[in-house]
Amino acid sequence: MTNLVGLLESLSNAFGPPGCEDEVRNTLRKELEEYADETRVDKLGNIFFYKHGKQGLPRVMLAAHMDEVGFIVTFIDNKGFLRFQTVGGITSTVIPGQTILLRGTKGDIEGLVGTKPPHLMKEEKRNKAVAIEELFIDVGASNPKEAEQKGIEIGTTGVFNVKFAELGEGYVKGKALDDRAGCTVLAEVFKALKDSPYNIVAVGTVQEEMGLRGARTAAWQVDPDYALALEGTFAADVPGFSPETESSKLREGPVVTILDQSVIAHPTVLKTLIKVGKEYAIPFQFKKVPRGGTDSGAIHLTKAGIPSGTVAVPCRYIHGPASIAHVDDVKNTVRLVTEFVKAISEKSM
Ligand code: CO
């Protein structure tokens, strides 16, 4: 068992672009297997931790996606530069100049996304974004053969090469806090409820960033009575945003979704979240910009429909190289979700 920040650190540092979630899955397994009555992995790679409680109580599914936005090599040109596609929503504005960690067949390799020196740029191009098609990764190879000798091939995947760091005063910086913050909450809630009589299925899902894919098949298998997606959502409490456009703020607690582009929170789920937040004086905030989607978008449409909602840790700069979050928000998300599971499980069906 690791402490909360230690777990967030190992999860954040783990390599896990969509479809390559193994390292994240292993980290979760190591953390939770001893607390689960049953652990299994499905064919797509979703991992399920079951806690079998009292019969007659509802089955509650908690889902956090293990994947992070990343890169995939699509072509190696004759000078040895790698052309790539992004997997998950990354804008080209945040990529130039970044170091990318590529997982090659012979181990991990660092590559640099090349940039043109300003000296060689036309005046009108200097402050403009570059299209992804014009970008390339330089791994220090002068032809395709040299790149291949380093273990790079078409289909090699990569992530932003950023190591987790504590910034002091409870602030942390790391890659993939969307959704390793949610994975941390998933683990902590599952551990906190180990001696409870409730039926809980904690799921680490795959390929959320590609369109909520793992959650779809996971929910079908679990067929829960209620579900909650645990996320890292965008906070924009930074220069250039007004209170209604910043969506969420650090240090104001978990972000409860009323609606986004994938789901309208089910009234029972939403009311229960608000009720326990007030009852236990857990700070929480509502997501103010209904953009994006989460695993609950796929989950709630499963089979005959599953009452679902989303609770997220506010994180600045998600889908970029690194995010900043606050540990108090992670802790308060754990508290809110734990109380939610208790309250919804005690509800008469
Ligand atoms: Co996410």
Side-chain angles (χ1 to χ4, degrees):
M1 187 180 147
T2 333
N3 68 37
L4 183 140
V5 179
L7 179 61
L8 182 60
E9 173 170 7
S10 11
L11 284 165
S12 167
N13 287 342
F15 183 93
C20 307
E21 296 88 353
D22 312 49
E23 212 169 280
V24 187
R25 185 167 47 245
N26 291 339
T27 307
L28 279 179
R29 185 194 276 273
K30 218 170 88 196
E31 188 69 19
L32 288 185
E33 198 160 27
E34 62 181 290
Y35 295 90
D37 296 316
E38 190 189 337
T39 300
R40 68 179 191 90
V41 177
D42 74 5
K43 290 175 194 164
L44 290 190
N46 296 303
I47 187 162
F48 303 77
F49 302 95
Y50 294 84
K51 194 193 126 35
H52 302 308
K54 258 204 251 160
Q55 269 195 353
L57 292 181
R59 188 179 308 131
V60 183
M61 172 173 165
L62 302 173
H65 68 88
M66 300 186 288
D67 60 317
E68 67 190 286
V69 293
F71 306 88
I72 186 160
V73 175
T74 51
F75 182 71
I76 305 171
D77 74 18
N78 58 12
K79 289 179 174 169
F81 295 111
L82 318 181
R83 305 303 170 91
F84 60 91
Q85 271 299 312
T86 54
V87 271
I90 308 177
T91 55
S92 64
T93 50
V94 299
I95 304 175
Q98 290 297 326
T99 306
I100 309 296
L101 188 75
L102 295 152
R103 186 145 290 183
T105 53
K106 297 178 182 168
D108 289 347
I109 296 155
E110 283 186 18
L112 179 68
V113 181
T115 51
K116 268 190 200 160
H119 321 69
L120 300 180
M121 290 176 96
K122 290 205 177 88
E123 186 63 40
E124 66 271 19
K125 282 245 175 180
R126 268 187 201 174
N127 296 304
K128 292 258 165 64
V130 187
I132 287 187
E133 295 72 34
E134 293 175 42
L135 296 172
F136 51 85
I137 302 171
D138 186 338
V139 288
S142 44
N143 53 53
K145 202 168 171 66
E146 283 184 15
E148 279 155 22
Q149 276 162 359
K150 288 173 185 268
I152 301 289
E153 53 191 15
I154 308 287
T156 294
T157 55
V159 296
F160 287 113
N161 187 29
V162 172
K163 285 277 167 278
F164 184 88
E166 290 185 60
L167 303 179
E169 310 297 329
Y171 286 94
V172 294
K173 184 196 87 170
K175 73 168 178 65
L177 297 187
D178 169 15
D179 186 24
R180 309 298 159 68
C183 291
T184 304
V185 173
L186 180 83
E188 295 298 322
V189 171
F190 195 77
K191 289 190 278 183
L193 292 169
K194 69 175 172 22
D195 296 322
S196 74
Y198 308 130
N199 296 296
I200 306 165
V201 189
V203 188
T205 64
V206 296
Q207 299 187 41
E208 189 270 353
E209 299 292 0
M210 302 304 287
L212 325 177
R213 294 175 184 173
R216 190 177 305 274
T217 60
W220 196 91
Q221 296 166 73
V222 174
D223 193 17
D225 298 295
Y226 299 103
L228 214 52
L230 308 176
E231 266 291 357
T233 191
F234 45 89
D237 51 341
V238 297
F241 292 89
S242 53
E244 72 276 17
T245 58
E246 69 192 8
S247 197
S248 70
K249 264 186 171 160
L250 264 55
R251 307 184 81 164
E252 300 234 324
V255 187
V256 173
T257 296
I258 295 170
L259 83 159
D260 61 22
Q261 287 167 295
S262 70
V263 70
I264 296 174
H266 189 279
T268 307
V269 172
L270 185 59
K271 279 183 197 153
T272 307
L273 284 167
I274 295 170
K275 184 173 162 281
V276 295
K278 288 186 175 159
E279 200 171 317
Y280 296 95
I282 306 164
F284 68 93
Q285 54 189 320
F286 293 109
K287 181 180 168 104
K288 289 171 208 74
V289 178
R291 297 286 299 278
T294 70
D295 274 347
S296 63
I299 296 167
H300 84 291
L301 295 176
T302 300
K303 293 195 174 176
I306 293 158
S308 306
T310 300
V311 177
V313 175
C315 302
R316 293 176 186 155
Y317 325 120
I318 65 168
H319 289 217
S323 300
I324 287 181
H326 198 279
V327 174
D328 287 350
D329 292 324
V330 183
K331 288 182 179 165
N332 283 322
T333 309
V334 173
R335 288 175 65 206
L336 187 75
V337 175
T338 304
E339 294 306 332
F340 167 84
V341 174
K342 290 186 197 169
I344 205 97
S345 298
E346 296 290 350
K347 234 178 169 56
S348 56
M349 296 270 292

